[in-house]
Amino acid sequence: MPERSAARRAVGPHSGGSAVTASLEQLRRCHFAVDLGAARTRVYVKGAGLVVDQPSTAAVNTRTGALIAVGEFAEKMTGRTPGYIRVVRPVSGGTVVDIEMAQRMLRQLLGDKTRRMLRRRPRLRAAACVPHDADPLARRAAIETLVGLGARRVELVDTLIAAAVGCGLPVERPEATMIMVCGAAATQVAVLSLGAIVTAERIPVGGEAVDNAIVQHLRHQHQLMLPSQSVRPLQLALHGNGLTPEGPESTEIHGRDVATGLARSVKVDTAAVRRAIQTPLTAVLDGIGKVLRECPPDLVADLADRGIMMVGGSALLPGLDQMLRQATGMPVHIAERPDICAIQGLGEMLEGRIAPMVLDPTGA
């Protein structure tokens, strides 16, 4: 029976956890790290770098139980399969909801060569990201998933800490930094200082909620049903200043008529689309406001200069940074590669590139 240790989480002092520096030594001993997101799965192998960056999707033959495809190929099969093939997502809201399928998906994504390399490591250790307020069941599901891949010990790291490290924020210094992780299923906002989370909020609104708002708008206002993969092109049509009035006035969308089932194109007023997605975006703004209200005044003063760092795949929603800038009056920056910041941060910790902060009370 593999050893299933209680993994250590890097969380803020308000949760009774330890600072991120407390688990750096443990993370340096890990051999690989996994970021299991609702939209994409990423795996970092020590010494090899990022080896997997694929959609968290698997296609299964319901008659035989066989795994037909994973990742991008399975994603392309969404909405195009016969009745006996089911496309599933074993991760929802940053939590593993189907442990067995998540393990099978990871094995397939890693491939035989990488799995053999990992199996040769004595006492294989793994690290994984978990959402900030993950409950014990969600943490246990993440541990069980990696134990099933052969890990003898699993370290859990708060996604907010990992993403902050990955985008180069000085999290270990005694000054405030604010990070906003824009995921597919949720948005997490936190203020960090001294390597720990001072205050944080998880808003159950992410890129998928914005997608759904657009889908519902087109269905109700234009009687148009979208193919499952055509929402992203609509968001790309809102290019540049997409969420602001300076964006394009209209864009043409192809879909299926609700009544007749025939293919149809409509010209969509982008101002109406912006109004349709205001509800989920307002919830995100409320979450930012709550974090700032709970933050000590001295740290808020730091944030007025440094602003908010946006990471996560949904941070690339056109015009979102400008909308946040207008709403908060603070500088808003998007990380260079916002989609892979969390796994990059885990990789930095695995490789030992993050030095723990040394406290010297004597001042010597």
Side-chain angles (χ1 to χ4, degrees), residues 261-332:
L262 299 175
R264 184 162 66 91
S265 297
V266 296
K267 211 159 196 179
V268 178
D269 178 16
T270 52
V273 173
R274 287 195 294 271
R275 287 194 296 272
I277 61 179
Q278 280 304 311
T279 301
L281 294 179
T282 300
V284 173
L285 289 174
D286 290 345
I288 293 173
K290 185 176 179 184
V291 168
L292 290 172
R293 285 193 299 274
E294 293 176 355
C295 189
D298 290 348
L299 294 183
V300 174
D302 289 347
L303 296 175
D305 298 326
R306 294 189 183 85
I308 304 170
M309 177 64 79
M310 293 174 63
V311 303
S314 299
L316 298 171
L317 186 65
L320 179 57
D321 56 333
Q322 189 171 338
M323 194 201 79
L324 290 175
R325 209 173 286 123
Q326 291 171 349
T328 62
M330 295 166 62
V332 178

Side-chain angles (χ1 to χ4, degrees), residues 325-347:
R325 209 173 286 123
Q326 291 171 349
T328 62
M330 295 166 62
V332 178
H333 316 281
I334 301 177
E336 189 175 343
R337 286 293 308 276
D339 51 335
I340 61 171
C341 281
I343 195 68
Q344 277 184 331
L346 282 180

Side-chain angles (χ1 to χ4, degrees), residues 170-177 192-195 298-299 302 306 357:
V171 291
E172 75 284 351
R173 295 184 191 167
E175 53 195 44
T177 53
L192 313 174
S193 181
L194 290 172
D298 290 348
L299 294 183
D302 289 347
R306 294 189 183 85
M357 183 180 63

Side-chain angles (χ1 to χ4, degrees), residues 13-359:
H14 67 289
S15 301
S18 57
V20 64
T21 48
S23 60
L24 280 175
E25 191 56 44
Q26 296 287 355
L27 288 166
R28 284 196 193 99
R29 297 176 190 169
C30 291
H31 302 102
F32 72 105
V34 178
D35 178 15
L36 275 168
R40 295 185 77 86
T41 291
R42 299 177 175 94
V43 181
Y44 186 102
V45 175
K46 194 171 187 175
L50 186 63
V51 297
V52 172
D53 184 1
Q54 296 273 346
S56 304
T57 313
V60 186
N61 185 325
T62 55
R63 294 174 181 169
T64 64
L67 198 62
I68 295 171
V70 294
E72 286 178 2
F73 189 36
E75 182 89 347
K76 288 176 183 175
M77 295 169 70
T78 304
R80 301 171 184 268
T81 60
Y84 66 91
I85 295 178
R86 191 162 58 97
V87 178
V88 297
R89 292 181 175 273
V91 184
S92 176
T95 301
V96 178
V97 292
D98 186 337
I99 294 172
E100 184 189 354
M101 187 55 67
Q103 290 171 348
R104 293 174 70 187
M105 181 185 75
L106 275 170
R107 286 192 196 102
Q108 195 78 14
L109 288 173
L110 282 169
D112 293 338
K113 184 179 176 183
T114 305
R115 288 199 344 258
R116 278 198 302 269
M117 180 182 72
L118 290 174
R119 277 201 298 265
R120 286 199 293 267
R121 306 284 175 93
R123 296 189 60 79
L124 184 65
R125 291 170 176 252
C129 286
V130 289
H132 170 65
D133 61 349
D135 58 38
L137 283 176
R139 294 198 295 273
R140 173 54 65 188
I143 293 170
E144 293 283 345
T145 301
L146 298 187
V147 164
L149 291 177
R152 301 293 298 276
R153 183 180 175 95
V154 180
E155 300 290 339
L156 299 186
V157 180
D158 195 302
T159 301
L160 289 162
I161 295 282
V165 170
C167 65
L169 289 178
V171 291
E172 75 284 351
R173 295 184 191 167
E175 53 195 44
T177 53
M178 190 170 191
I179 188 164
M180 179 174 165
V181 179
C182 308
T187 300
Q188 301 175 71
V189 185
V191 174
L192 313 174
S193 181
L194 290 172
I197 294 170
V198 178
T199 179
E201 187 72 16
R202 184 170 183 263
I203 307 112
V205 169
E208 290 174 356
V210 175
D211 288 350
N212 290 336
I214 296 173
V215 168
Q216 293 303 317
H217 168 75
L218 292 176
R219 188 181 180 97
H220 293 144
Q221 299 300 319
H222 300 279
Q223 285 72 53
L224 193 75
M225 284 181 67
L226 287 179
S228 57
Q229 296 175 17
S230 64
V231 177
R232 290 296 168 185
L234 173 62
Q235 291 183 5
L236 293 176
L238 302 175
H239 58 81
N241 300 319
L243 296 180
T244 63
E246 291 79 25
E249 288 186 9
S250 64
T251 185
E252 192 169 6
I253 303 298
H254 306 281
R256 190 178 75 183
D257 190 281
V258 171
T260 66
L262 299 175
R264 184 162 66 91
S265 297
V266 296
K267 211 159 196 179
V268 178
D269 178 16
T270 52
V273 173
R274 287 195 294 271
R275 287 194 296 272
I277 61 179
Q278 280 304 311
T279 301
L281 294 179
T282 300
V284 173
L285 289 174
D286 290 345
I288 293 173
K290 185 176 179 184
V291 168
L292 290 172
R293 285 193 299 274
E294 293 176 355
C295 189
D298 290 348
L299 294 183
V300 174
D302 289 347
L303 296 175
D305 298 326
R306 294 189 183 85
I308 304 170
M309 177 64 79
M310 293 174 63
V311 303
S314 299
L316 298 171
L317 186 65
L320 179 57
D321 56 333
Q322 189 171 338
M323 194 201 79
L324 290 175
R325 209 173 286 123
Q326 291 171 349
T328 62
M330 295 166 62
V332 178
H333 316 281
I334 301 177
E336 189 175 343
R337 286 293 308 276
D339 51 335
I340 61 171
C341 281
I343 195 68
Q344 277 184 331
L346 282 180
E348 296 277 307
M349 296 179 200
L350 259 64
E351 303 285 2
R353 296 185 190 129
I354 308 299
M357 183 180 63
V358 179
L359 297 177

